[in-house]
Amino acid sequence: MADVTNNSYQPGTSPAGASSGMSWGEWLDRHSRTFFITPAVTLILIFAIFPTFYSIVFALSRVRFTADGLQFRFVGLQNFAKQFFGNDQVHFLGKTEGIGVLGWVFFGAVTAAVLWWLYRSLRITSPVGMLGRLISAAMAIFIAWIMGASLLAGSTIGTLLTTLFYVFVGCALQFVIGTGLAFLCSQPIAGKNFFRVIFFIPLMVTPLGVGYAMKMVADITKGPFEPLLRGFGIENWVWSADPWAARFVMMICDSWQWIPFIFICMLAALENVPRDHVEAAQVDGASSVQIFREITWPQIVPVAVTVLLIRTIEAFKIVDLPNIMTGGGPGSSTESMTLHSLYIWRSNDIGTSAAVAYLLLILTVVVCASFFNYVVLGQLRKARA
Amino acid sequence: MSEAPFKFEKANRGLMERLFEPPAVGRMSPVANVVAYFLLAVWSIFVLFPLYWVVITSFKDAAAVNQGPFYIPFVDFVPNLNAWRAQFTEDANCNLSSIGRQFGLLVYNAFAFIVSPVVTLQPMEPQICKIFLAFTNSIVVSAASTALCVAIGSMAAYALVRVQYKPKFGNIMMFVALTVLVIAATTYTRAPWWASSAVALALFFFLARALGKHFTRTLGNGDILFWIISQRILPPIVVIIPIYVMFQAVGLLDTHLALITVYAVANLPIVVWLMYDFFSSLPIELEESAQLDGATRFGIFWDIVLPLTRPGLAATTLLTLILSWNEYLFAVFLATAKVQTMPIMVAAKNAGEKGVFWWEMCAIIVVMIIPVIIMAVFLQRFIAKGVLLGAVKG
Amino acid sequence: MASGKAGVPVSFDKIQKSFGPVRVLEELNLQVEPGEFLVLLGASGSGKTTALRILSGLETASAGRVLIGGRDVTDILPKYRDISMVFQSYALYPHKTVAENIGFPLKVRKVPQAEQEVQIRDAAAQVQLGELLHRYPRELSGGQRQRVALARAIIRRPSVFLMDEPLSNLDAKLRGHMRAELKHMQEKFGITTIYVTHDQIEAMTLARRVAILERGVLQQLATPAEIYNNPANLFVAQFIGSPPMNVVQGALDGKAFMSNGAAIATSVGGRIAKAVLGVRPEDCSVVAPAKGAIKGEIYATELIGDHTLVTLKAGNDMLTVKAAKDFTAKLGEKAGVAFSTDRLFVFDECNGLRVR
């Protein structure tokens, strides 16, 4: 270190190219391209990439805490297998015995549609693209089968379908309401800025705080809606005891937090549409609904799908709300996969916990990558072409 | 030439048109006005009511909570400060000077940690009430992790905009293979983690030197950017278990440092993504002229680029700050006692034996969310100015 | 002439407009004849675009009335005004093809599909766009986009065309070409057209009459020739003409204009302590110092092509003279400027009005 600090930076004194005579500052500047990006890459390698690989080891092992650290025993795919076939199957996939007529019809329809899509993409895609499409297709068919066997047969669903329910139904609802609110706020109304601020706040409130606030608000005996429930004569109805009611409450509370995200992005996109376009349409006689449908909406579709992608990515991580409001109950019917993994970790079964987490990673990556490749990229290309 | 098929010659509008059509461009029709304000009002109530309920509950006592819902202070219940007193006055160490002392202690402990390889200084134990401890922890962790994250992230984003990187695909594969080897070695052969990592790192640099020139396939900046941003897809639960084990191995569990680093990494993709967009919209001429004047890359970045992106930088910082403040899952694993943040403290309140003291809990929630709501209002200003839209446009 | 309908008159009746405390238009009164091509000319901030937007209904007047075809349209929506507008940016919808862009006014009025197609082809043919109907705006050149915007405006055969600097985004050569086409089209259809521009050449070449606006006040409304030859005030005189009119400050003393001790004979009489003498560069000539009404020295000479611009410095005034293309002179050489008395304009410096 000593010779480095003594070597003060003097421009022009060191002969160019001779590294021995190069001052410290100059050396730093010459390698600045490395220094700019190294910290970020290193941190991600250590705290994201390395743990992701390390997690595989956990998922493939039976892990025990011992006096001198962790003890791993390699068990192969056992941790994964028991999610699909063994005693944890009901927890993860749901009860899948007895697929009914409806289930077969649904499964058959989805399979046929996916195979048709694969056949059609045969001509337009590369081998690598085809591999990706095969993976997407396999997952779609698998999920369709699980849905047919559990959901449509009227039996219990597992954390997999619960997570997908939060993601797909939740995102769809949030997108529709968020875009609707954004459209309202893009209209000429007084107090626009007031509403913008109000509507934005829930997004930034600590999710954990949201969980407790919602737990209080949704309380059926001491919560604010108690008189209302009594008025309808359903004061004995306990939403947290009914699996689907509990899931819908979760989803609505999640929407309370996340609709602002869609709202704020879509509003910014709406206001970014050139004023000329709207005015030209007004002169040509279009109504505000026509303007939205014909002029504004087609121009914000690329933003819309990007926003939806971001929201979908974040939606897979849902954990705070069910953890606080229902503790995953009744049974495990409001558990998301993250919560599922967290509860297994609490019971000290680290290997299985890691396996569930890994299944969530696979699910998230396949769904988001499919959405990105088949929808978002297409829209972005269309907008840029 | 035929007459035009239609004419817009309607001077007197009928009743329906008066109701459903705006009187002029830039105004709304009466019906649309009513519908719009109704919907906006309904949504405002939906948004504000849970927050309102938390605030009034914090001024209730046990009776007012347990004897059924009461809605309006002074009308159907008498507000009191019991819940707040329970948090702030029962502990002797609940005053501003203890917060000051806590920051001093943190500085001392940080110093003790830095010099610990040379001299062993006993770190001091905090003397502060629980809520202030959690509050200071939250402040320290979110501020430090935001600073770290924004600094590192904007540097990387700037480099990705202005410098061409060409990492070799073969080197990356080699790195991955060595990582897997290190993991296998440490878990199944009980080799110490530091030894195997050091060997692997040395091996990597040696092999990269030796074999690197034979690899021809390279990746570009776009790939690096996509790689960094796509880390956001990674569910935290996947990485948190190994991270827990890693921090345990180096004895850093339940320290500020652990939370700060992990939060910074978790938010890095967002910072890089947003800052990349801001930097790529800057004109390159200013930097080029500074380069001709002999400024260094760091100098250009600090003196020219950062000031130019000040609004974007401020918005990004604010967003990162809020996200760090709100983080819960990492803290559950990494902050077991001393560095409990506000969310962890709130969650701990839930586990009382005598049932949940909702009024006290609400008081803490209010303390927890007031800073974020203030920050959210500021952030909303930036968003309204369109500062954060560019990135979403993709 | 193939015109289907005669144009309609348009008038602004005491129109005022202010944005908050800023007054953009102060009592604008303007009558546009049926079928006339009227150009609103002014610098930026003169209120010309605001006047056009009030006529289109995109902006509401603070006071006054707008009449189209004798009908009061002040408070009705743009779609009832039977107007169409060409925007400076063309405002073509990027996600619609040329055909969809042109047909949009028909689509929102729910014209049957078959009829739409006929009309789209007809309108596209009028502006020579027949080949490009299936392209997107981004695949077109600037001139072609301009034509699409024009086609979208004419497809409805409106009573009034409004154009907001439609040529300002084109390069110089194309602009000249499109100018001729616009004029041809307007005369062919005979539709009343109101055209906003800051470019005096466009104004002079296109307009039957030009209305010059400055700071929300109408300065002069007259034919281009009248405006050039007979400016109503100093602003109009200096605004129109390139290079601009030479001005010399001084005083009007009876029959002569006194400046820097020189007396210049004028055709107007009267006594004004502070007056301004104006003369166009082409009405001046460079002569020997003794013969000139104003004496000065050569400051610069610029050969334009068919003529040479000579700038002379006389006291504090700079005078530009349009001389023959073979004119040569050394810098700093003494010279005089002569002009014919009947081509001189005298203005009162206090209110800028022409002294006649």
Side-chain angles (χ1 to χ4, degrees):
Chain A
M1 287 301 278
D3 58 329
V4 172
T5 41
N6 287 342
N7 224 337
S8 62
Y9 179 52
Q10 290 167 313
T13 51
S14 52
S19 60
S20 57
M22 211 191 285
S23 74
W24 186 65
E26 206 168 313
W27 178 83
L28 203 64
D29 191 35
R30 209 157 274 202
H31 293 83
S32 61
R33 43 176 290 147
T34 316
F35 294 125
F36 264 105
I37 201 156
T38 307
V41 170
T42 313
L43 274 184
I44 290 179
L45 285 178
I46 296 177
F47 291 102
I49 301 302
F50 179 77
T52 311
F53 283 111
Y54 201 9
S55 206
I56 303 178
V57 175
F58 283 83
L60 297 179
S61 313
R62 181 165 289 276
V63 189
R64 279 195 304 148
F65 283 104
T66 60
D68 50 34
L70 290 171
Q71 213 176 36
F72 293 87
R73 189 164 60 80
F74 186 75
V75 293
L77 289 172
Q78 197 184 309
N79 287 332
F80 290 99
K82 72 183 173 192
Q83 302 303 325
F84 291 95
F85 308 109
N87 40 3
D88 286 347
Q89 190 209 23
V90 175
H91 197 171
F92 179 61
L93 297 179
K95 264 204 191 74
T96 52
E97 299 105 35
I99 179 164
V101 181
L102 192 63
W104 278 117
V105 170
F106 177 75
F107 173 65
V110 171
T111 310
V114 167
L115 290 178
W116 171 244
W117 171 72
L118 272 183
Y119 171 73
R120 282 205 23 200
S121 53
L122 213 51
R123 276 164 293 176
I124 54 165
T125 179
S126 62
V128 179
M130 200 59 213
L131 184 69
R133 279 162 197 250
L134 276 175
I135 293 173
S136 307
M139 180 167 284
I141 291 172
F142 175 72
I143 289 171
W145 181 74
I146 295 294
M147 275 178 81
S150 61
L151 179 68
L152 296 176
S155 39
T156 340
I157 62 168
T159 52
L160 173 69
L161 287 189
T162 306
T163 307
L164 289 175
F165 169 78
Y166 292 151
V167 171
F168 287 114
V169 182
C171 287
L173 180 82
Q174 289 154 26
F175 186 77
V176 171
I177 296 180
T179 309
L181 287 173
F183 174 69
L184 275 183
C185 275
S186 70
Q187 296 299 306
I189 50 168
K192 211 190 273 199
N193 289 334
F194 170 76
F195 289 117
R196 286 176 86 125
V197 175
I198 296 289
F199 292 178
F200 178 62
I201 284 174
L203 181 62
M204 291 301 156
V205 174
T206 318
L208 186 105
V210 176
Y212 286 113
M214 290 301 179
K215 190 173 182 176
M216 281 185 277
V217 171
D219 194 292
I220 48 167
T221 55
K222 289 152 205 157
F225 294 115
E226 189 261 348
L228 204 66
L229 293 177
R230 206 168 32 199
F232 284 117
I234 48 171
E235 67 266 34
N236 294 324
W237 177 70
V238 184
W239 62 262
S240 56
D242 179 280
W244 278 106
R247 286 185 198 115
F248 270 99
V249 170
M250 280 322 101
M251 196 191 72
I252 290 166
C253 297
D254 192 42
S255 302
W256 183 85
Q257 174 134 55
W258 281 99
I259 282 171
F261 173 72
I262 309 273
F263 163 76
I264 215 84
C265 292
M266 295 306 282
L267 181 58
L270 280 171
E271 291 187 340
N272 214 37
V273 170
R275 227 178 82 176
D276 276 2
H277 290 179
V278 176
E279 287 181 343
Q282 279 167 340
V283 171
D284 286 339
S287 67
S288 59
V289 175
Q290 272 174 326
I291 290 173
F292 181 75
R293 203 181 57 216
E294 296 274 342
I295 311 298
T296 332
W297 174 250
Q299 294 197 47
I300 60 172
V301 168
V303 181
V305 290
T306 312
V307 168
L308 203 54
L309 175 69
I310 299 170
R311 175 65 203 114
T312 310
I313 290 173
E314 299 295 320
F316 273 106
K317 301 176 185 170
I318 179 171
V319 58
D320 298 7
L321 273 175
N323 185 21
I324 288 153
M325 289 185 68
T326 59
S332 62
S333 52
T334 53
E335 261 179 45
S336 64
M337 283 174 74
T338 302
L339 196 56
H340 184 179
S341 174
L342 185 67
Y343 285 159
I344 303 177
W345 154 270
R346 290 239 172 100
S347 65
N348 274 337
D349 188 356
I350 303 174
T352 314
S353 170
V356 172
Y358 233 84
L359 288 173
L360 174 64
L361 174 63
I362 293 166
L363 180 73
T364 313
V365 168
V366 173
V367 170
C368 295
S370 303
F371 186 67
F372 180 72
N373 277 312
Y374 313 138
V375 180
V376 180
L377 269 188
Q379 287 296 338
L380 290 181
R381 275 201 208 107
K382 218 158 85 182
R384 272 189 204 145
Chain B
M1 189 101 10
S2 65
E3 188 72 1
F6 54 85
K7 300 272 289 169
F8 302 157
E9 284 193 347
K10 214 164 179 182
N12 295 315
R13 302 185 299 165
L15 178 67
M16 292 309 272
E17 276 149 351
R18 272 176 204 285
L19 284 178
F20 286 99
E21 263 179 3
V25 166
R27 308 256 301 275
M28 291 214 299
S29 71
V31 170
N33 248 322
V34 171
V35 172
Y37 279 106
F38 174 74
L39 291 175
L40 291 172
V42 166
W43 195 258
S44 301
I45 292 169
F46 180 70
V47 161
L48 290 179
F49 185 76
L51 299 174
Y52 168 78
W53 194 252
V54 168
V55 173
I56 62 161
T57 306
S58 76
F59 293 104
K60 288 177 179 174
D61 51 21
V65 171
N66 289 329
Q67 284 163 14
F70 295 111
Y71 299 90
I72 306 161
F74 299 109
V75 176
D76 55 4
F77 73 93
V78 182
N80 61 55
L81 288 170
N82 291 352
W84 293 86
R85 282 205 198 96
Q87 298 305 319
F88 291 102
T89 55
E90 283 173 8
D91 193 317
N93 288 316
C94 229
N95 47 36
L96 287 178
S97 70
S98 66
I99 291 186
R101 193 170 58 226
Q102 175 71 8
F103 278 112
L105 174 140
L106 287 171
V107 172
Y108 173 81
N109 283 358
F111 177 72
F113 176 76
I114 292 166
V115 300
S116 61
V118 190
V119 209
T120 312
L121 290 176
Q122 204 57 45
M124 292 196 283
E125 288 302 315
Q127 268 193 336
I128 188 168
C129 66
K130 270 182 115 178
I131 188 165
F132 279 5
L133 177 65
F135 202 79
T136 45
N137 281 336
S138 268
I139 290 177
V140 167
V141 168
S142 42
S145 74
T146 301
L148 182 68
C149 185
V150 170
I152 289 177
S154 50
M155 271 165 64
Y158 174 67
L160 286 173
V161 172
R162 291 289 185 241
V163 185
Q164 281 302 315
Y165 291 99
K166 291 197 180 81
K168 296 207 159 154
F169 191 67
N171 283 347
I172 293 170
M173 284 293 118
M174 203 158 68
F175 188 88
V176 170
L178 284 169
T179 309
V180 172
L181 272 180
V182 168
I183 293 170
T186 43
T187 47
Y188 295 118
T189 69
R190 309 200 68 70
W193 64 269
W194 44 269
S196 54
S197 323
V199 170
L201 209 57
L203 206 59
F204 172 71
F205 281 115
F206 173 73
L207 287 176
R209 277 262 148 158
L211 302 175
K213 51 182 172 290
H214 299 299
F215 299 132
T216 46
R217 244 190 99 192
T218 57
L219 301 177
N221 284 14
D223 300 298
I224 302 178
L225 182 70
F226 184 80
W227 174 69
I228 294 179
I229 294 173
S230 67
Q231 296 310 312
R232 193 72 199 168
I233 295 182
L234 199 66
I237 192 77
V238 176
V239 290
I240 189 61
I241 298 167
I243 287 177
Y244 176 85
V245 174
M246 283 156 64
F247 277 117
Q248 200 185 34
V250 293
L252 284 177
L253 273 187
D254 202 27
T255 57
H256 289 102
L257 188 64
L259 282 185
I260 289 167
T261 357
V262 172
Y263 284 11
V265 179
N267 294 326
L268 204 52
I270 295 179
V271 171
V272 171
W273 183 42
L274 293 174
M275 294 309 292
Y276 182 86
D277 191 68
F278 298 134
F279 291 138
S280 49
S281 65
L282 291 182
I284 198 169
E285 288 79 11
L286 284 170
E287 292 159 57
E288 281 173 342
S289 103
Q291 239 167 352
L292 293 179
D293 293 342
T296 61
R297 276 251 175 229
F298 284 104
I300 293 170
F301 180 64
W302 187 256
D303 286 333
I304 293 161
V305 176
L306 283 187
L308 282 175
T309 49
R310 204 177 284 149
L313 200 63
T316 309
T317 307
L318 219 45
L319 183 67
T320 315
L321 209 54
I322 293 170
L323 287 174
S324 307
W325 182 274
N326 289 345
E327 216 293 325
Y328 172 66
L329 190 65
F330 286 128
V332 165
F333 281 80
L334 299 177
T336 42
K338 276 185 299 182
V339 296
Q340 275 194 357
T341 53
M342 284 303 287
I344 298 291
M345 188 200 169
V346 173
K349 270 271 165 200
N350 196 21
E353 283 163 19
K354 290 174 282 181
V356 185
F357 289 178
W358 284 113
W359 47 101
E360 287 187 17
M361 188 151 200
C362 284
I364 314 176
I365 292 177
V366 170
V367 173
M368 175 171 74
I369 65 179
I370 279 179
V372 268
I373 288 181
I374 294 170
M375 286 191 275
V377 171
F378 278 105
L379 184 60
Q380 151 63 28
R381 291 231 179 118
F382 285 108
I383 293 174
K385 283 185 210 151
V387 171
L388 291 178
L389 179 71
V392 181
K393 280 194 284 183
Chain C
M1 196 90 5
S3 165
K5 57 183 166 193
V8 299
V10 170
S11 59
F12 292 88
D13 183 15
K14 295 180 183 156
I15 287 292
Q16 292 179 19
K17 178 71 184 172
S18 34
F19 293 107
V22 186
R23 299 194 61 147
V24 185
L25 283 179
E26 323 226 8
E27 263 210 23
L28 178 65
N29 285 303
L30 190 60
Q31 270 73 42
V32 187
E33 311 285 319
E36 179 176 10
F37 199 127
L38 180 102
V39 173
L40 285 175
L41 178 64
S44 65
S46 61
K48 58 187 194 302
T49 300
T50 308
L52 190 76
R53 289 171 63 86
I54 288 173
L55 179 54
S56 73
L58 292 171
E59 214 81 71
T60 320
S62 308
R65 295 189 311 151
V66 181
L67 293 108
I68 297 178
R71 197 159 53 92
D72 186 347
V73 297
T74 318
D75 291 322
I76 70 174
L77 287 174
K79 62 174 170 178
Y80 296 132
R81 297 189 181 200
D82 198 18
I83 49 168
S84 63
M85 186 159 170
V86 177
F87 288 76
Q88 183 174 9
S89 65
Y90 318 142
L92 301 182
Y93 312 126
H95 55 281
K96 289 184 184 289
T97 61
V98 169
E100 286 167 340
N101 263 292
I102 296 176
F104 186 72
L106 306 185
K107 190 176 175 187
V108 298
R109 299 258 103 197
K110 303 198 170 64
V111 173
Q113 190 71 36
E115 188 162 354
Q116 276 188 35
E117 271 165 34
V118 174
Q119 297 219 7
I120 289 169
R121 231 168 293 131
D122 190 41
Q126 297 283 352
V127 293
Q128 292 109 50
L129 271 176
E131 315 295 302
L132 306 169
L133 280 178
H134 297 289
R135 299 249 191 116
Y136 284 92
R138 57 175 174 267
E139 299 162 341
L140 302 180
S141 69
Q144 288 167 337
R145 287 180 203 178
Q146 168 68 65
R147 285 165 205 267
V148 177
L150 218 52
R152 189 170 70 188
I154 60 172
I155 192 166
R156 279 204 329 239
R157 297 291 140 73
S159 305
V160 185
F161 268 152
L162 307 179
M163 303 198 182
D164 186 4
E165 311 216 10
L167 302 182
S168 62
N169 285 348
L170 300 178
D171 60 49
K173 204 175 160 193
L174 204 53
R175 203 180 301 170
H177 178 67
M178 285 306 295
R179 219 160 55 202
E181 290 211 1
L182 265 183
K183 188 158 192 179
H184 174 79
M185 195 114 54
Q186 198 271 338
E187 279 175 10
K188 188 165 129 194
F189 292 129
I191 295 173
T192 313
T193 303
I194 305 194
Y195 185 107
V196 160
T197 185
H198 65 272
D199 181 351
Q200 50 162 310
I201 311 245
E202 270 174 34
M204 302 303 267
T205 51
L206 285 170
R208 192 155 93 207
R209 284 193 302 165
V210 180
I212 297 182
L213 280 170
E214 170 65 4
R215 291 182 190 189
V217 179
L218 181 64
Q219 306 288 332
Q220 188 169 6
L221 171 65
T223 62
E226 177 75 7
I227 286 204
Y228 191 82
N229 296 326
N230 222 345
N233 56 32
L234 184 57
F235 175 80
V236 174
Q238 285 190 296
F239 193 72
I240 299 293
S242 173
M245 182 184 275
N246 294 311
V247 290
V248 179
Q249 316 226 319
L252 191 63
D253 180 17
K255 204 75 179 138
F257 184 83
M258 312 296 292
S259 171
N260 289 339
I264 303 158
T266 64
S267 54
V268 294
R271 279 175 195 283
I272 296 169
K274 293 188 88 175
V276 175
L277 179 77
V279 58
R280 297 211 179 268
E282 66 267 28
D283 297 328
C284 307
S285 52
V286 183
V287 293
K291 288 184 182 166
I294 294 176
K295 294 167 191 59
E297 54 189 51
I298 305 282
Y299 188 77
T301 61
E302 302 154 80
L303 177 65
I304 303 297
D306 60 342
H307 62 272
T308 303
L309 286 183
V310 185
T311 310
L312 289 104
K313 193 169 164 53
N316 287 330
D317 295 314
M318 289 282 192
L319 296 176
T320 307
V321 179
K322 217 169 180 178
K325 64 180 169 187
D326 52 0
F327 179 91
T328 50
K330 275 207 208 87
L331 274 189
E333 203 176 297
K334 293 265 183 272
V337 180
F339 19 69
S340 51
T341 309
D342 58 334
R343 302 298 297 161
L344 293 179
F345 306 108
V346 180
F347 304 96
D348 186 339
E349 204 185 329
C350 299
N351 54 17
L353 286 180
R354 172 98 174 268
V355 182
R356 290 177 197 269

